[in-house]
Structure formats: C-alpha cells, structure tokens
C-alpha cells in the first residue's frame, strides 16, 4: 500500500474542501450572519491539516486497486467529519452526531435530515448543506482529478472506487480529460436548471440551493415544505431535471459527439425511462381520487416517482398518506434507483438488467444443460468478472440492509419506519415512510441508529466495497 500517496491525496482533498467552504462563508457575509466566523475557522482547520499532509510529496506515486478503495473511503469519511464542524461549532446543530448525520447526508446526496424545522438554519448553513449535494453528486475525487495536475500512477483506480455502477469507463482516454468533460456537462446542466428556475420566478437563493439538490440528486430544501410551495412550473422543471441527472452521463457525451445512435441504443436508458413511465401511470391511477383532476394526480405522481427513483428525495405532497399500493411501488423504486454513471443512487438499473439476463440464462441451462450462454447487454458480451462483481455486490447489499434493519429495530419503531429508514439511507434517497416520511425527520432515532445510518449512507454512495476494503485487517497488514 502506498500510504504516502494516500496521505497526500487526503491532504489535497482537505485543501479543496477548505476552498469550497469559502462559498458559504461569502453567503454568510452577504446576509450579514455571524456564522461566517465558524466557516472561517473550518477553512483554517482544512488549510492547516491539508497543508501539513501535502508538505512532503510522496516519492512513489503509483496506485493500486486497494489504494483506490482506501482513498475513496477515507476521503468521504474525512470530508464529512470536517464538513460537520461549522454546523456544530456555530450551534446551528448543537450535537455533533446530528451535525455529522446532516453532513454525511449532504455529501452522499441522501437528503435525510435530523432537522424538524429547516428554516431555523441561517442562509450560510442552508447554502453549505445544499452545496454539499452538488459537490458529492459527481464525486469529490472526480472533482479533484478534474482540477489538479495529473498525479501520476493509476488514477483510474480512484475513479473506479468512487464512481457508481458495475462498470466504469472513461469517456476519453485520459482520466483528467474524462473527469473535466463529466464535470463540464454537470455544470452546464446545473446552470440551465438555475436559469429555468429564475425564469419561473424562484428567488436566486432558492434557485441555487434547489438546483444543487436536483443536480446532485440530493433533496435538501430550504424549507420544511420541500418543493410543495413552488409553482407547478417549478415542480415540472424539477421532475424533468431529476430524471435527466439520473441518466448515465456517457449518454450526454455521446450526444455531444453527435453519436446519436450509440447514445440512444442504451437498453439501460430505455428501461429506466420505461420504469418511470409505468410507475407514474400506475400511481396516477391509484391516487386519482385524492386530487381534483387526473392531470394534477399525474404531476404529483411523476414528481414523486422521479424523485425517489433518482434517489433525490424532494416532495410536493406527503406520499406517506397515499394508498398502500403506491407506497409499495415507491419502496421498489427506492431499491432500483437510477442509471450507472449518474448522480443517482440505489441498486442501479444496469445491475437489475445484468441480474435478469443472468437469471434467464441459468433457467435455460436447467432445460439445456450443455448450452453455453453469456450475458449480453446492448449486443455486447458482459465479462464474467463484471457479472461476478454484480452477484457479489448483491450479496453484500442484502447483508448491509439486513444487518442495518436489525440494529435500527432496537429503537422500537414500527416496521415501515425501520425498513424505509434503512432503504432511504442505504440507497441515498432521503425520506422514508411513517416516522421518517417526507414531512418528518430522523431526529427521533437514537445515536446508535444515526451512526448505523451514516455508515449506510456512505456505503450506498461508495457502493459498499471501499468501506469493506478499508475495514479488512489484511488491507493494513504489512507484507
């Protein structure tokens, strides 16, 4: 293991986080809030710690897969631990475990909150809370690779460890260029969304915060009402863009290259859109009687399906009050999630496709044992390593959910609350049902449950393996 390189990268990450904290500091100054000082203290902390860690450059810069996993896991833990400091020392969130929960939820783009009244936070803190979604949406390490000079070594291992989905590809041969292109697309879509919000009469501050939450598929709002108080136009724009940010970003790159056939031939994309359409129709028909028109029911159903499927977590209505049929559909969508290579979380549509095709092949082998079958997606053979990786991930995913449910059940909440609290955090969604529904919060849970759910959020964003590698004794054993 290249410990010097790991230390150096973590130092660079802290320096970047310190730079990012200057934005909420500026917001606090603009609104003449005293919390600018608390942001400044945290910036200083990042500068000192980061500066000391990068003072000595590593002699060897090569990285191996194990190093990439460790760097990814430690990066997300460190930025969360430090990012919680302003909330805590300012007294805006008095208890550190609560501040940490809120920060982990922000960076992992989960959107679960311990706040019973979001409006109690001042503007600077609200901005930092939402901006953490935008930073975490595409990945802090991808952001670092896009900004900094090439670090040398196999930086693809860092990209693979942090990027969501069963297969990570580079849109262009060089990692640095790939990261830059991805972030430029991300930035462009965010900017378009902000302009559309402003055109709809949304205040600038709200436009920025809600756009950060939509782009990062995070879901932190600036009021406890989430998106319920905004106009139908704003809600419709948000529905469309949540869906867009749940698409694999390589599709947008192919469209930019005018490779329309390649971009639109993705089976994952069409299955993703198909699931959205069918779920919206089914829920619209189920909740039609609760609204004044079918159009209104469809608008709220489409928003909610888009929000939960892309793991954003915004709400226009309290879907916790919907019929059980609709609630079950929403729970299934929580698990399925968005596309690989997007800012969305969840199990990922691509994994569902691979598992379905693998299961079909295994059933056919029962009938024709000598038949040799391979898994194909979009006409291309999926390697046995990728299929094996999906199967192993599925096993660990189920174990993570099961163990987390067992631990959270110690709080003696009802089954729906316990189950959906875990699903909402492990899949980076935000709200669950019942006591952790869209109009409630996670405040009533014990510190143990909050700690477990913090790990679930990190595991969900990093897709489990980096945290497992970090915890393995063999990772740190000297050879």
């Amino acid at each position: 293991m290249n410990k010097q390189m790991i230390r150096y990268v973590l130092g660079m990450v802290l320096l970047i986080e310190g730079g990012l904290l200057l934005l909420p500091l500026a917001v606090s100054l603009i609104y003449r809030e005293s919390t600018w000082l608390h942001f400044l203290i945290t910036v200083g902390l990042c500068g000192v710690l980061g500066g000391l860690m990068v003072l000595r450059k590593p002699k060897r810069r090569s990285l191996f897969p194990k190093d990439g996993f460790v760097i990814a896991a430690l990066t997300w833990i460190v930025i969360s631990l430090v990012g919680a400091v302003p909330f805590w020392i300012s007294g805006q969130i008095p208890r550190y475990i609560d501040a940490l929960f809120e920060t982990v939820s922000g960076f992992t783009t989960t959107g679960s909150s311990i706040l019973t009244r979001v409006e109690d936070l001042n503007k600077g803190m609200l901005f930092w809370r939402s901006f953490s979604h935008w930073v975490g949406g595409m990945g802090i390490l991808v952001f670092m690779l896009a900004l900094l000079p090439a670090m040398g070594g196999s930086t693809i291992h860092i990209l693979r460890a942090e990027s969501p989905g069963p297969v990570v590809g580079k849109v262009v041969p060089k990692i640095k260029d790939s990261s830059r292109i991805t972030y430029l697309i991300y930035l462009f879509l965010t900017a378009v969304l902000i302009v559309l919000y402003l055109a709809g009469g949304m205040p600038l501050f709200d436009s920025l915060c809600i756009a950060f939450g939509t782009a990062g598929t995070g879901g932190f709002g600036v009021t406890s009402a989430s998106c319920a108080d905004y106009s139908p136009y704003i809600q419709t724009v948000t529905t469309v863009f949540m869906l867009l940010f749940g698409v694999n970003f390589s599709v947008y790159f192919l469209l930019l290259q005018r490779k329309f056939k390649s971009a639109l031939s993705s089976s994952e994309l069409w299955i993703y859109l198909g699931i959205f359409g069918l779920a919206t129709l089914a829920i619209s028909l189920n909740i039609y009687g609760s609204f004044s028109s079918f159009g209104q029911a469809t608008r709220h159903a489409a928003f909610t399906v888009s929000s939960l499927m892309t793991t954003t977590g915004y709400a226009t209505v309290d879907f916790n009050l919907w019929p059980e049929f609709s609630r079950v559909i929403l729970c299934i969508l929580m698990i399925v999630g968005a596309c690989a290579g997007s800012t969305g979380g969840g199990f990922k549509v691509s994994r569902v496709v691979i598992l379905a095709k693998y299961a079909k092949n295994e059933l056919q082998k029962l009938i024709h044992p000598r038949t040799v079958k391979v898994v194909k997606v979009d006409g291309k053979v999926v390697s046995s390593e990728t299929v094996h990786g999906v199967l192993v991930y599925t096993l660990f995913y189920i174990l993570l959910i099961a163990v987390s449910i067992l631990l959270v059940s110690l709080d003696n909440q009802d089954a729906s609350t316990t189950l959906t609290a875990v699903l909402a955090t492990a899949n980076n969604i935000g709200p669950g049902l019942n006591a952790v529904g869209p109009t409630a919060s996670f405040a009533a849970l014990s510190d143990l449950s909050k700690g477990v759910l913090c790990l679930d959020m990190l595991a969900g964003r990093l897709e489990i393996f980096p945290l497992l590698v970090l915890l393995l004794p063999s990772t740190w054993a000297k050879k």
Side-chain angles (χ1 to χ4, degrees):
M1 178 184 290
N2 191 343
K3 293 183 179 179
Q4 289 187 356
M5 192 62 185
I6 292 172
R7 180 256 306 159
Y8 183 78
V9 172
L10 289 176
M12 294 304 301
V13 166
L14 280 172
L15 291 177
I16 289 174
E17 185 173 19
L20 295 173
L21 279 160
L22 293 174
L23 286 175
L25 187 156
V27 172
S28 291
L29 287 173
I30 290 170
Y31 285 95
R32 299 181 180 180
E33 298 167 340
S34 61
T35 47
W36 70 268
L37 179 59
H38 305 104
F39 283 116
L40 184 61
I41 291 170
T42 313
V43 169
L45 177 65
C46 290
V48 171
L49 292 177
L52 290 173
M53 293 171 76
V54 301
L55 200 57
R56 290 181 57 193
K57 292 186 178 180
K59 296 178 182 178
R60 182 169 55 91
R61 294 199 168 197
S62 58
L63 293 170
F64 299 96
K66 178 171 66 174
D67 300 326
F69 284 121
V70 170
I71 286 172
L74 288 178
T75 290
W76 285 78
I77 292 171
V78 168
I79 62 169
S80 298
L81 291 171
V82 175
V85 171
F87 292 119
W88 180 47
I89 62 175
S90 67
Q92 296 268 298
I93 301 179
R95 301 178 69 244
Y96 184 75
I97 183 65
D98 289 339
L100 181 62
F101 184 96
E102 202 77 10
T103 307
V104 171
S105 183
F107 279 119
T108 59
T109 72
T110 303
S112 301
S113 179
I114 51 82
L115 297 172
T116 53
R117 267 185 53 84
V118 176
E119 297 88 342
D120 290 342
L121 292 184
N122 63 29
K123 298 290 188 183
M125 293 296 170
L126 283 173
F127 184 90
W128 174 234
R129 185 171 171 265
S130 294
F131 186 56
S132 64
H133 278 336
W134 194 85
V135 174
M138 196 54 67
I140 184 70
L141 289 168
V142 176
F143 183 68
M144 182 187 72
L145 292 174
L147 284 181
L148 300 178
M151 295 185 297
S154 304
T155 48
I156 184 63
H157 298 312
I158 295 178
L159 187 65
R160 281 177 176 154
E162 190 182 46
S163 299
V167 179
V168 174
K170 298 177 285 183
V171 294
V172 291
K174 291 184 179 180
I175 295 292
K176 184 179 178 64
D177 292 338
S178 182
S179 301
R180 277 183 175 172
I181 290 169
T182 302
Y183 251 100
L184 284 173
I185 295 172
Y186 187 46
L187 181 61
F188 173 76
L189 288 174
T190 306
V192 171
L193 179 57
I194 292 169
V195 170
L196 291 174
Y197 280 155
L198 292 172
M202 183 184 274
L204 177 60
F205 182 82
D206 289 29
S207 297
L208 291 170
C209 291
I210 301 300
F212 292 152
T214 302
T217 60
F220 277 154
V222 293
T223 68
S224 298
S226 189
C227 290
D229 292 338
Y230 296 123
S231 67
Y233 165 82
I234 296 295
Q235 293 173 0
T236 302
V237 168
T238 305
T239 300
V240 172
F241 273 81
M242 286 189 293
L243 206 60
L244 290 175
F245 282 106
V247 172
N248 192 321
F249 270 58
S250 63
V251 170
Y252 300 131
F253 179 73
L254 290 171
L255 290 174
L256 285 174
Q257 289 188 311
R258 298 184 180 180
K259 297 180 180 179
F260 303 112
K261 187 175 180 180
S262 297
L264 300 178
S265 65
S266 168
S267 59
E268 181 188 32
L269 172 64
W270 292 110
I271 292 171
Y272 166 72
L273 294 175
I275 293 171
F276 166 77
L278 288 174
T280 299
L281 178 61
I283 292 176
S284 298
L285 292 170
N286 189 230
I287 66 172
Y288 168 53
S290 302
F291 294 92
S292 59
S293 67
F294 185 72
Q296 188 183 47
T298 301
R299 174 163 56 83
H300 289 297
F303 186 99
T304 306
V305 169
S306 180
S307 179
L308 294 193
M309 187 177 180
T310 62
T311 70
T312 306
Y314 283 135
T316 54
V317 292
D318 186 1
F319 52 78
N320 191 43
L321 302 176
W322 286 358
E324 195 65 18
F325 176 75
S326 294
R327 284 158 42 107
V328 169
I329 291 176
L330 294 178
C331 286
I332 294 171
L333 294 175
M334 287 181 184
I335 296 171
V336 173
C339 298
S342 70
T343 62
F347 189 75
K348 299 293 184 301
V349 174
S350 59
R351 285 196 180 95
V352 175
V353 172
I354 291 171
L355 282 177
K357 290 178 178 288
Y358 178 78
K360 180 183 176 182
N361 287 351
E362 291 301 303
L363 285 174
Q364 289 180 339
K365 283 182 182 179
L366 292 175
I367 303 170
H368 306 288
R370 295 185 180 181
T371 303
V372 177
K373 291 284 185 180
V374 293
V375 175
K376 288 186 176 181
V377 175
D378 299 333
K380 298 177 182 178
V381 175
V382 179
S383 68
S384 58
E385 290 83 2
T386 299
V387 175
H388 180 260
V390 170
L391 293 172
V392 173
Y393 177 84
T394 304
L395 173 62
F396 281 119
Y397 176 85
I398 294 170
L399 286 174
L400 174 71
I401 298 295
V403 172
S404 298
I405 289 172
L406 188 63
L407 292 173
V408 175
S409 69
L410 292 172
D411 279 5
N412 280 325
Q413 297 283 350
D414 63 273
S416 290
T417 296
T418 302
L419 173 63
T420 58
V422 172
L423 289 179
T425 49
N427 292 296
N428 304 131
I429 293 158
L433 298 175
N434 290 3
V436 292
T439 60
S441 75
F442 288 67
L445 298 182
S446 67
D447 288 351
L448 171 63
S449 291
K450 289 172 184 173
V452 170
L453 297 179
C454 278
L455 289 174
D456 284 346
M457 288 187 277
L458 289 168
R461 176 59 182 81
L462 292 172
E463 306 218 312
I464 302 173
F465 293 122
L467 285 182
L468 289 178
V469 171
L470 183 69
L471 296 173
L472 282 175
S474 58
T475 300
W476 306 97
K478 292 182 178 181
K479 294 183 179 180

Coordinates of all heavy atoms in Angstrom, one line a residue, residues 1-11 13 53 62-79 140-141 144 154-162 458 462 464-477:
M1 N 0.8 -1.2 0.0 CA 0.0 0.0 0.0 C 0.9 1.3 0.0 O 1.8 1.3 0.7 CB -0.9 0.0 1.2 CG -1.8 1.3 1.3 SD -2.8 1.3 2.8 CE -3.9 0.0 2.5
N2 N 0.5 2.2 -0.8 CA 1.2 3.5 -0.9 C 0.6 4.5 0.1 O -0.2 5.3 -0.3 CB 1.2 4.0 -2.3 CG 2.2 5.1 -2.6 OD1 2.7 5.8 -1.6 ND2 2.4 5.5 -3.8
K3 N 1.0 4.4 1.4 CA 0.5 5.2 2.4 C 0.8 6.7 2.2 O 0.0 7.6 2.6 CB 0.9 4.7 3.8 CG 0.4 3.3 4.2 CD 0.8 2.9 5.5 CE 0.2 1.5 5.9 NZ 0.7 1.1 7.2
Q4 N 2.0 6.9 1.7 CA 2.4 8.3 1.5 C 1.5 9.0 0.5 O 1.1 10.2 0.6 CB 3.8 8.4 1.0 CG 4.9 8.1 2.1 CD 6.3 8.3 1.6 OE1 6.5 8.7 0.4 NE2 7.3 8.1 2.5
M5 N 1.1 8.3 -0.6 CA 0.2 8.8 -1.6 C -1.2 9.0 -1.1 O -1.9 10.0 -1.4 CB 0.2 7.9 -2.8 CG -0.4 8.5 -4.0 SD 0.4 10.0 -4.6 CE -0.7 10.5 -5.9
I6 N -1.6 8.1 -0.2 CA -2.9 8.2 0.4 C -3.0 9.4 1.3 O -3.9 10.2 1.2 CB -3.2 6.9 1.2 CG1 -3.4 5.7 0.3 CG2 -4.5 7.1 2.1 CD1 -3.5 4.4 1.0
R7 N -1.9 9.6 2.0 CA -1.9 10.8 2.9 C -1.9 12.1 2.0 O -2.6 13.1 2.4 CB -0.6 10.8 3.8 CG -0.4 11.9 4.7 CD 0.7 12.9 4.1 NE 2.0 12.1 3.9 CZ 2.9 12.6 3.0 NH1 2.7 13.7 2.4 NH2 4.0 11.9 2.8
Y8 N -1.1 12.1 1.0 CA -1.0 13.3 0.1 C -2.4 13.6 -0.6 O -2.8 14.8 -0.6 CB 0.0 13.0 -1.0 CG 0.3 14.2 -1.9 CD1 1.1 15.2 -1.5 CD2 -0.3 14.2 -3.2 CE1 1.3 16.3 -2.4 CE2 -0.1 15.3 -4.0 CZ 0.7 16.3 -3.6 OH 1.0 17.4 -4.5
V9 N -3.1 12.6 -1.1 CA -4.4 12.8 -1.7 C -5.4 13.3 -0.7 O -6.2 14.3 -1.0 CB -4.9 11.5 -2.3 CG1 -6.4 11.7 -2.8 CG2 -4.0 11.1 -3.5
L10 N -5.4 12.8 0.5 CA -6.3 13.3 1.6 C -6.0 14.7 1.9 O -6.9 15.5 2.2 CB -6.2 12.4 2.8 CG -6.8 11.0 2.7 CD1 -6.5 10.2 4.0 CD2 -8.3 11.0 2.4
G11 N -4.7 15.1 1.9 CA -4.4 16.5 2.2 C -4.9 17.4 1.1 O -5.4 18.5 1.4
V13 N -7.5 16.8 -0.7 CA -9.0 16.8 -0.6 C -9.4 17.9 0.5 O -10.3 18.6 0.3 CB -9.5 15.4 -0.2 CG1 -10.9 15.5 0.3 CG2 -9.4 14.5 -1.4
M53 N -0.3 17.8 5.5 CA -0.4 16.5 4.8 C 0.2 16.5 3.4 O 0.7 15.4 2.9 CB -1.8 16.0 4.7 CG -2.4 15.6 6.1 SD -4.2 15.3 6.1 CE -4.2 13.6 5.5
S62 N 2.6 5.7 -7.7 CA 1.8 4.7 -8.3 C 0.7 4.2 -7.3 O 1.0 4.2 -6.1 CB 2.7 3.5 -8.7 OG 3.4 3.0 -7.6
L63 N -0.4 3.9 -7.9 CA -1.5 3.5 -7.1 C -2.0 2.1 -7.6 O -2.0 1.8 -8.8 CB -2.7 4.5 -7.1 CG -2.4 5.8 -6.5 CD1 -3.6 6.8 -6.9 CD2 -2.3 5.7 -5.0
F64 N -2.5 1.3 -6.6 CA -3.1 0.0 -7.0 C -4.6 0.0 -6.6 O -5.0 0.9 -5.9 CB -2.3 -1.1 -6.2 CG -0.8 -1.1 -6.6 CD1 0.1 -0.5 -5.8 CD2 -0.4 -1.8 -7.7 CE1 1.5 -0.5 -6.2 CE2 0.9 -1.8 -8.1 CZ 1.9 -1.1 -7.3
P65 N -5.3 -1.0 -7.0 CA -6.7 -1.0 -6.7 C -7.1 -0.9 -5.3 O -8.0 -0.1 -4.9 CB -7.2 -2.4 -7.3 CG -6.2 -2.7 -8.4 CD -4.9 -2.1 -7.9
K66 N -6.3 -1.5 -4.4 CA -6.5 -1.4 -3.0 C -6.4 0.0 -2.5 O -7.1 0.5 -1.7 CB -5.5 -2.3 -2.2 CG -5.7 -2.3 -0.7 CD -4.8 -3.3 0.0 CE -3.3 -3.1 -0.2 NZ -2.5 -4.1 0.5
D67 N -5.3 0.7 -3.0 CA -5.1 2.1 -2.7 C -6.3 3.0 -3.1 O -6.7 3.9 -2.3 CB -3.9 2.7 -3.4 CG -2.6 1.9 -3.0 OD1 -2.6 1.5 -1.8 OD2 -1.7 1.7 -3.8
G68 N -6.9 2.7 -4.3 CA -8.0 3.5 -4.7 C -9.2 3.3 -3.8 O -9.9 4.3 -3.5
F69 N -9.5 2.1 -3.4 CA -10.6 1.9 -2.5 C -10.4 2.6 -1.1 O -11.3 3.2 -0.6 CB -10.8 0.4 -2.2 CG -11.4 -0.3 -3.4 CD1 -10.8 -1.4 -4.0 CD2 -12.7 0.1 -3.8 CE1 -11.4 -2.0 -5.1 CE2 -13.3 -0.6 -4.9 CZ -12.7 -1.7 -5.5
V70 N -9.2 2.5 -0.6 CA -8.9 3.1 0.7 C -9.0 4.7 0.6 O -9.6 5.3 1.5 CB -7.5 2.7 1.2 CG1 -7.0 3.6 2.4 CG2 -7.5 1.3 1.5
I71 N -8.5 5.2 -0.5 CA -8.5 6.7 -0.7 C -10.0 7.1 -0.8 O -10.4 8.1 -0.2 CB -7.8 7.1 -2.0 CG1 -6.3 7.0 -1.8 CG2 -8.2 8.5 -2.4 CD1 -5.4 7.2 -3.0
A72 N -10.8 6.4 -1.6 CA -12.2 6.8 -1.7 C -12.9 6.7 -0.4 O -13.6 7.7 0.0 CB -12.9 5.8 -2.7
A73 N -12.8 5.7 0.4 CA -13.4 5.5 1.7 C -13.0 6.6 2.7 O -13.8 7.3 3.3 CB -13.2 4.1 2.3
L74 N -11.7 6.8 2.8 CA -11.2 7.8 3.7 C -11.6 9.2 3.3 O -11.8 10.1 4.2 CB -9.7 7.7 3.9 CG -9.2 6.4 4.6 CD1 -7.6 6.4 4.7 CD2 -9.7 6.4 6.1
T75 N -11.6 9.5 2.0 CA -11.9 10.8 1.6 C -13.4 11.2 2.0 O -13.6 12.3 2.6 CB -11.9 10.9 0.0 OG1 -10.5 10.8 -0.4 CG2 -12.5 12.2 -0.5
W76 N -14.3 10.3 1.8 CA -15.7 10.6 2.1 C -15.9 10.7 3.7 O -16.7 11.4 4.1 CB -16.6 9.6 1.5 CG -16.7 9.8 0.0 CD1 -15.8 9.5 -0.9 CD2 -17.8 10.5 -0.6 NE1 -16.3 10.0 -2.2 CE2 -17.5 10.6 -2.0 CE3 -19.0 11.1 -0.2 CZ2 -18.3 11.2 -2.9 CZ3 -19.8 11.7 -1.1 CH2 -19.5 11.8 -2.5
I77 N -15.1 9.9 4.4 CA -15.2 10.0 5.9 C -14.6 11.3 6.3 O -15.2 12.0 7.2 CB -14.5 8.8 6.5 CG1 -15.2 7.5 6.2 CG2 -14.3 9.0 8.0 CD1 -14.5 6.2 6.6
V78 N -13.5 11.7 5.8 CA -12.8 12.9 6.3 C -13.6 14.2 5.9 O -13.8 15.1 6.7 CB -11.4 13.0 5.6 CG1 -10.8 14.4 5.8 CG2 -10.5 11.9 6.3
I79 N -14.1 14.3 4.7 CA -14.8 15.5 4.3 C -16.1 15.6 5.1 O -16.6 16.7 5.4 CB -15.1 15.5 2.8 CG1 -16.1 14.3 2.4 CG2 -13.9 15.6 1.9 CD1 -16.6 14.5 0.9
I140 N -16.2 13.9 -5.1 CA -15.2 14.9 -4.7 C -13.8 14.5 -5.3 O -13.0 15.4 -5.7 CB -15.0 14.9 -3.1 CG1 -14.0 16.0 -2.7 CG2 -14.7 13.6 -2.6 CD1 -14.4 17.4 -2.9
L141 N -13.6 13.2 -5.5 CA -12.3 12.8 -6.1 C -12.3 13.0 -7.6 O -11.3 13.3 -8.2 CB -12.1 11.3 -5.8 CG -11.7 11.0 -4.3 CD1 -11.8 9.5 -4.0 CD2 -10.3 11.6 -4.0
M144 N -11.5 16.5 -7.9 CA -10.1 16.8 -7.7 C -9.3 16.4 -8.9 O -8.4 17.1 -9.3 CB -9.6 15.9 -6.5 CG -8.1 16.1 -6.1 SD -7.6 15.0 -4.9 CE -7.5 13.5 -5.8
S154 N -1.8 5.0 -11.4 CA -3.0 4.5 -12.0 C -4.2 5.2 -11.3 O -4.9 4.6 -10.5 CB -3.1 3.0 -11.9 OG -2.0 2.4 -12.5
T155 N -4.5 6.4 -11.7 CA -5.6 7.2 -11.1 C -7.0 6.6 -11.5 O -8.0 6.9 -10.9 CB -5.6 8.7 -11.5 OG1 -5.4 8.8 -12.9 CG2 -4.5 9.3 -10.7
I156 N -7.0 5.7 -12.5 CA -8.3 5.0 -12.8 C -8.8 4.2 -11.6 O -10.0 4.0 -11.4 CB -8.1 4.1 -14.0 CG1 -9.4 3.4 -14.4 CG2 -7.1 3.0 -13.7 CD1 -10.4 4.4 -14.9
H157 N -7.9 3.8 -10.7 CA -8.3 3.0 -9.5 C -9.1 3.9 -8.6 O -10.0 3.5 -7.9 CB -7.1 2.4 -8.8 CG -6.4 1.5 -9.6 ND1 -7.0 0.4 -10.3 CD2 -5.0 1.3 -9.9 CE1 -6.1 -0.3 -11.0 NE2 -4.9 0.2 -10.7
I158 N -8.8 5.2 -8.5 CA -9.6 6.2 -7.7 C -10.9 6.4 -8.3 O -12.0 6.3 -7.6 CB -8.8 7.5 -7.6 CG1 -7.5 7.3 -6.8 CG2 -9.7 8.5 -6.9 CD1 -6.7 8.6 -6.7
L159 N -11.0 6.5 -9.6 CA -12.2 6.8 -10.4 C -13.2 5.6 -10.2 O -14.3 5.7 -10.0 CB -11.9 7.0 -11.8 CG -13.1 7.5 -12.7 CD1 -13.6 8.8 -12.3 CD2 -12.7 7.5 -14.2
R160 N -12.6 4.4 -10.3 CA -13.4 3.2 -10.2 C -14.0 3.0 -8.8 O -15.1 2.5 -8.6 CB -12.6 1.9 -10.6 CG -12.4 1.7 -12.1 CD -11.5 0.6 -12.4 NE -11.5 0.3 -13.8 CZ -10.5 -0.3 -14.4 NH1 -9.4 -0.7 -13.7 NH2 -10.5 -0.5 -15.7
A161 N -13.2 3.4 -7.8 CA -13.6 3.2 -6.4 C -14.7 4.1 -6.0 O -15.6 3.8 -5.2 CB -12.4 3.4 -5.5
E162 N -14.8 5.3 -6.7 CA -15.8 6.3 -6.3 C -17.0 6.4 -7.2 O -18.1 6.8 -6.8 CB -15.1 7.7 -6.3 CG -16.0 8.8 -5.7 CD -15.4 10.2 -5.7 OE1 -14.9 10.6 -6.8 OE2 -15.5 10.9 -4.7
L458 N -22.8 6.3 3.5 CA -21.5 6.2 2.9 C -21.4 4.9 2.1 O -20.8 5.0 1.0 CB -20.4 6.2 4.0 CG -20.2 7.6 4.7 CD1 -19.4 7.4 6.0 CD2 -19.6 8.6 3.8
L462 N -20.7 4.9 -1.9 CA -19.5 4.3 -2.4 C -19.7 2.9 -2.9 O -18.7 2.2 -3.3 CB -18.4 4.3 -1.3 CG -17.9 5.7 -0.9 CD1 -17.0 5.6 0.4 CD2 -17.1 6.3 -2.0
I464 N -20.4 0.2 -1.3 CA -20.1 -0.8 -0.3 C -18.6 -1.2 -0.3 O -17.9 -1.2 0.8 CB -20.9 -2.1 -0.4 CG1 -22.4 -1.8 -0.3 CG2 -20.5 -3.2 0.6 CD1 -23.4 -2.9 -0.5
F465 N -18.0 -1.6 -1.4 CA -16.7 -2.2 -1.5 C -15.6 -1.4 -0.8 O -14.8 -1.9 -0.1 CB -16.3 -2.6 -2.9 CG -17.2 -3.7 -3.4 CD1 -17.9 -3.5 -4.6 CD2 -17.3 -4.9 -2.8 CE1 -18.7 -4.6 -5.1 CE2 -18.1 -6.0 -3.3 CZ -18.8 -5.8 -4.4
P466 N -15.5 0.0 -1.1 CA -14.4 0.7 -0.5 C -14.4 0.7 1.0 O -13.4 0.6 1.7 CB -14.7 2.2 -1.0 CG -15.4 2.0 -2.3 CD -16.2 0.8 -2.1
L467 N -15.6 0.7 1.6 CA -15.7 0.6 3.1 C -15.3 -0.7 3.6 O -14.6 -0.9 4.6 CB -17.1 1.0 3.6 CG -17.5 2.4 3.6 CD1 -18.9 2.6 4.2 CD2 -16.6 3.3 4.4
L468 N -15.7 -1.8 2.9 CA -15.3 -3.1 3.2 C -13.8 -3.3 3.2 O -13.2 -3.9 4.1 CB -16.0 -4.2 2.4 CG -17.5 -4.3 2.6 CD1 -18.0 -5.4 1.6 CD2 -17.8 -4.8 4.0
V469 N -13.2 -2.8 2.1 CA -11.7 -2.9 1.9 C -11.0 -2.1 3.1 O -10.0 -2.6 3.6 CB -11.3 -2.3 0.6 CG1 -9.8 -2.2 0.5 CG2 -11.8 -3.2 -0.6
L470 N -11.6 -1.0 3.4 CA -11.0 -0.2 4.5 C -11.0 -0.9 5.8 O -10.1 -0.8 6.6 CB -11.8 1.1 4.6 CG -11.3 2.2 5.7 CD1 -9.9 2.7 5.2 CD2 -12.3 3.3 5.9
L471 N -12.0 -1.7 6.1 CA -12.2 -2.4 7.3 C -11.5 -3.8 7.4 O -11.4 -4.4 8.5 CB -13.7 -2.6 7.6 CG -14.5 -1.3 7.8 CD1 -16.0 -1.7 7.9 CD2 -14.0 -0.6 9.1
L472 N -11.0 -4.3 6.2 CA -10.3 -5.5 6.2 C -9.0 -5.4 6.9 O -8.2 -4.6 6.5 CB -10.2 -6.0 4.8 CG -11.4 -6.7 4.1 CD1 -11.0 -7.0 2.7 CD2 -11.8 -8.0 4.8
P473 N -8.7 -6.3 7.9 CA -7.3 -6.3 8.5 C -6.2 -6.5 7.5 O -5.1 -5.9 7.7 CB -7.4 -7.4 9.5 CG -8.9 -7.6 9.8 CD -9.6 -7.3 8.5
S474 N -6.5 -7.3 6.5 CA -5.4 -7.6 5.5 C -5.0 -6.4 4.7 O -3.9 -6.3 4.1 CB -5.9 -8.7 4.6 OG -7.1 -8.3 3.9
T475 N -5.9 -5.4 4.6 CA -5.6 -4.1 3.9 C -4.4 -3.4 4.5 O -3.6 -2.8 3.8 CB -6.8 -3.2 3.9 OG1 -7.9 -3.9 3.2 CG2 -6.5 -1.9 3.2
W476 N -4.3 -3.5 5.9 CA -3.3 -2.7 6.6 C -2.2 -3.6 7.1 O -1.2 -3.1 7.7 CB -4.0 -2.0 7.8 CG -5.1 -1.2 7.4 CD1 -6.5 -1.5 7.4 CD2 -5.1 0.1 6.9 NE1 -7.2 -0.5 7.0 CE2 -6.4 0.5 6.6 CE3 -4.1 1.0 6.6 CZ2 -6.7 1.8 6.1 CZ3 -4.4 2.3 6.0 CH2 -5.7 2.6 5.8
A477 N -2.2 -4.9 6.8 CA -1.2 -5.8 7.2 C 0.1 -5.5 6.4 O 0.1 -5.3 5.2 CB -1.6 -7.2 7.1

